């Protein structure tokens, strides 16, 4: 059943070697870690959707033995082992796959670029009002007609993934622990990525709330270029940039036809992109260095299918990004625009792939 897939993985990606290094921290386990890992792999590859489904499948004689071996885990054994999993070995597999991918030139560019750009995004993976653990985050929510306030437990992670290339690759994931902000969890992850993937990434792309001087300084010190969405609420820098953009003509004006993003129910038909590029803005003194701001004003015709009917309307998007590099690097404004858009496109595709192709729609075991 799996033989073609595992033969391919073995021949091209040294799968068996990776699997043999899988570890967990159970005391005196009866079922080897590799059998747990391969059962989990098979469960996701076949989109079984739950540990119980997996257990039922594993009981069918002679079906899973070629993949998993003679000792097959129950749903309970899977949950017990996975809760004690050695994450360093999993992250090591990601690093290896990423480096091999680059070496084998498997990443295809979505637009011409020589930089390696990664984006950080947050994702919520578990929510419950009953079950919780010591690492759950909590929030108050109002429920029912009486708006009674109850505690909700949830898990949230930040993930780092390559953008502007296909196939998608998630490089690392880090949970937000009680007391964390998304920014503090992201910093832990970036520090680890910096150590385990030296020179793998050139640029990191962030959402607006990462525009915090201490954080940005640390990321620049690790040698990464930084691109951050700039929004109105983020004060002086935005206002100053806005003043300059209003006073000047755009540096580039590019009419275009046909779409750049082709989702199933959305097409971009034609439009015009105007680009402004202002360097050496000094209105973010906390950072201690000048900031470049790129603005992309995009008028386009959006063709959208709603309830089976295609409609067209004109939309205007006004994007701005703060661009800061630790050195003299100055990528063209058009490339900054591509990175900014790839970020959203990729957020769809990265997590989308995990949910659609691997059935990671919910947490399988708290
Ligand atoms: Zn929990």
């Amino acid at each position: 059943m799996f033989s073609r897939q595992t033969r391919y993985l073995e021949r091209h990606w040294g799968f068996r070697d990776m699997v043999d290094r899988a570890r967990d921290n159970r005391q005196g386990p009866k079922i080897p870690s590799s059998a747990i890992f391969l059962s989990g792999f098979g469960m996701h590859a076949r989109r079984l959707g739950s540990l119980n489904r997996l257990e039922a499948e594993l009981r069918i004689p002679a079906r899973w033995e070629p993949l998993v071996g003679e000792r097959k885990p129950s749903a309970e054994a899977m949950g017990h082992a996975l809760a004690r999993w050695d994450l360093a070995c999993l992250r090591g597999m990601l690093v290896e796959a990423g480096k091999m991918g680059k070496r084998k030139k498997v990443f295809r560019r979505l637009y011409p670029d020589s930089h390696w750009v990664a984006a950080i995004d947050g994702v919520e993976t578990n929510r419950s009002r009953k079950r919780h653990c010591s690492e759950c985050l909590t929030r108050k929510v109002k429920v029912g007609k009486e708006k009674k306030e109850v505690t909700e437990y949830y898990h949230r992670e930040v993930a780092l993934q390559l953008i502007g290339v296909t196939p998608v690759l998630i490089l690392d994931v880090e949970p937000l622990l009680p007391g964390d902000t998304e920014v503090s969890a992201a910093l832990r992850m970036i520090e680890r990525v910096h150590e385990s993937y030296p020179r793998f990434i050139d640029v990191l792309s962030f959402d607006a709330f990462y525009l915090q001087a201490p954080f940005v300084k640390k990321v620049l010190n690790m040698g990464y270029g930084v691109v951050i969405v700039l929004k109105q609420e983020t004060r002086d820098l935005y206002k100053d940039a806005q003043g300059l953009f209003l006073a000047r003509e755009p540096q580039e004006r590019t009419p275009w036809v046909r779409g750049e993003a082709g989702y199933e129910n959305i097409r971009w038909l034609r439009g015009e992109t105007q680009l402004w590029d202002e360097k050496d803005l000094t209105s973010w003194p906390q950072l201690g260095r000048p900031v470049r701001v790129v603005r992309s004003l995009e008028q386009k015709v959006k063709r959208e299918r709603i309830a089976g009917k295609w409609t067209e309307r004109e939309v205007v998007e006004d994007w701005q990004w703060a661009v800061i590099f630790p050195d003299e690097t100055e990528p063209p404004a058009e490339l900054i625009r591509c990175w900014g858009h790839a970020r959203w496109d990729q957020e769809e595709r990265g997590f989308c792939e995990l949910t659609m192709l691997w059935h990671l729609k919910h947490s399988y075991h708290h």
Side-chain angles (χ1 to χ4, degrees):
M1 174 175 57
F2 292 106
S3 55
R4 220 158 52 130
Q5 193 171 17
T6 46
R7 260 206 314 277
Y8 164 81
L9 286 171
E10 181 47 41
R11 191 172 309 147
H12 296 279
W13 298 87
F15 189 53
R16 195 76 236 179
D17 257 14
M18 286 196 199
V19 173
D20 285 343
R21 273 178 274 143
R23 293 278 173 278
D24 63 82
N25 301 310
R26 285 169 297 162
Q27 300 293 321
K30 290 199 182 69
I31 295 163
S33 301
S34 58
I36 303 280
F37 180 88
L38 288 164
S39 300
F41 175 80
M43 174 176 71
H44 288 300
R46 299 210 53 216
R47 287 174 249 179
L48 297 179
S50 79
L51 296 176
N52 288 327
R53 266 290 297 283
L54 172 68
E55 181 178 312
E57 274 275 324
L58 285 169
R59 283 201 191 124
I60 301 169
R63 183 174 283 186
W64 285 67
E65 280 82 349
L67 177 71
V68 173
E70 292 303 315
R71 291 186 171 173
K72 298 176 292 179
S74 64
E76 204 192 329
M78 283 293 290
H80 181 80
L82 292 175
R84 287 156 187 78
W85 207 259
D86 180 334
L87 299 182
C89 81
L90 281 187
R91 290 192 171 109
M93 288 182 194
L94 276 182
V95 173
E96 217 168 297
K99 286 180 179 167
M100 258 194 271
K102 251 196 190 183
R103 215 165 45 232
K104 291 165 177 284
K105 303 198 188 318
V106 300
F107 299 111
R108 199 164 49 79
R109 295 282 181 177
L110 299 178
Y111 41 83
D113 190 7
S114 58
H115 302 82
W116 291 90
V117 186
I120 284 188
D121 292 299
V123 61
E124 198 172 305
T125 48
N126 193 328
R127 183 190 315 172
S128 172
R129 297 191 188 141
K130 295 190 189 94
R131 278 165 193 256
H132 56 95
C133 70
S134 60
E135 292 184 1
C136 268
L137 307 175
T138 58
R139 64 186 160 213
K140 299 283 183 204
V141 291
K142 292 196 168 82
V143 292
K145 277 192 190 127
E146 304 92 63
K147 302 259 179 253
K148 195 172 153 248
E149 205 178 68
V150 296
T151 302
E152 185 166 84
Y153 301 92
Y154 67 103
H155 282 254
R156 190 172 173 79
E157 284 87 30
V158 285
L160 184 73
Q161 49 183 325
L162 283 181
I163 59 170
V165 295
T166 183
V168 292
L169 177 69
I170 290 183
L171 297 167
D172 202 348
V173 181
E174 176 69 17
L176 272 72
L177 300 174
D180 255 338
T181 61
E182 193 158 319
V183 175
S184 62
L187 186 61
R188 275 203 302 281
M189 178 168 67
I190 295 166
E191 282 168 346
R192 184 171 56 229
V193 163
H194 181 243
E195 205 166 288
S196 47
Y197 297 86
R199 293 183 298 278
F200 194 90
I201 304 162
D202 307 308
V203 182
L204 290 168
S205 153
F206 299 98
D207 210 348
F209 59 89
Y210 283 88
L211 197 81
Q212 300 177 23
F215 170 79
V216 173
K217 278 184 192 168
K218 283 179 186 159
V219 176
L220 289 169
N221 279 340
M222 286 184 253
Y224 297 120
V226 172
V227 175
I228 309 181
V229 175
L230 193 57
K231 284 197 180 142
Q232 200 145 11
E233 59 264 36
T234 43
R235 314 159 312 250
D236 299 347
L237 183 59
Y238 182 92
K239 286 181 221 149
D240 276 14
Q242 197 65 19
L244 288 168
F245 297 145
L246 287 173
R248 291 178 200 185
E249 285 292 303
Q251 277 96 329
E252 283 177 50
R253 205 187 274 271
T254 323
W256 52 269
V257 285
R258 194 196 55 82
E260 42 194 85
Y263 297 111
E264 202 179 327
N265 295 314
I266 297 173
R267 299 277 183 280
W268 299 105
L269 295 186
R270 58 192 171 272
E272 188 189 59
T273 301
Q274 298 177 61
L275 284 175
W276 284 260
D277 188 355
E278 294 298 340
K279 287 158 190 157
D280 300 324
L281 280 142
T282 53
S283 33
W284 193 16
Q286 296 87 341
L287 190 68
R289 66 168 86 202
V291 178
R292 176 182 172 198
V293 177
V294 170
R295 178 193 187 198
S296 172
L297 184 62
E298 300 166 20
Q299 283 162 295
K300 36 196 173 183
V301 175
K302 186 182 194 180
R303 192 153 190 256
E304 201 170 7
R305 187 161 60 187
I306 302 164
K309 261 181 80 180
W310 286 97
T311 54
E312 278 180 27
R313 67 190 168 95
E314 196 177 278
V315 292
V316 178
E317 288 181 12
D318 192 351
W319 291 90
Q320 293 186 30
W321 298 280
V323 183
I324 315 136
F325 273 78
D327 52 23
E328 306 302 307
T329 309
E330 251 180 34
E334 171 56 24
L335 193 54
I336 306 286
R337 191 184 79 83
C338 287
W339 294 347
H341 285 290
R343 179 190 162 74
W344 301 114
D345 180 30
Q346 200 84 7
E347 182 176 41
E348 285 271 309
R349 293 194 313 123
F351 294 130
C352 214
E353 181 173 303
L354 292 180
T355 54
M356 303 292 284
L357 301 183
W358 295 89
H359 225 303
L360 270 165
K361 290 180 176 163
H362 59 276
S363 170
Y364 283 46
H365 179 81
H366 195 159

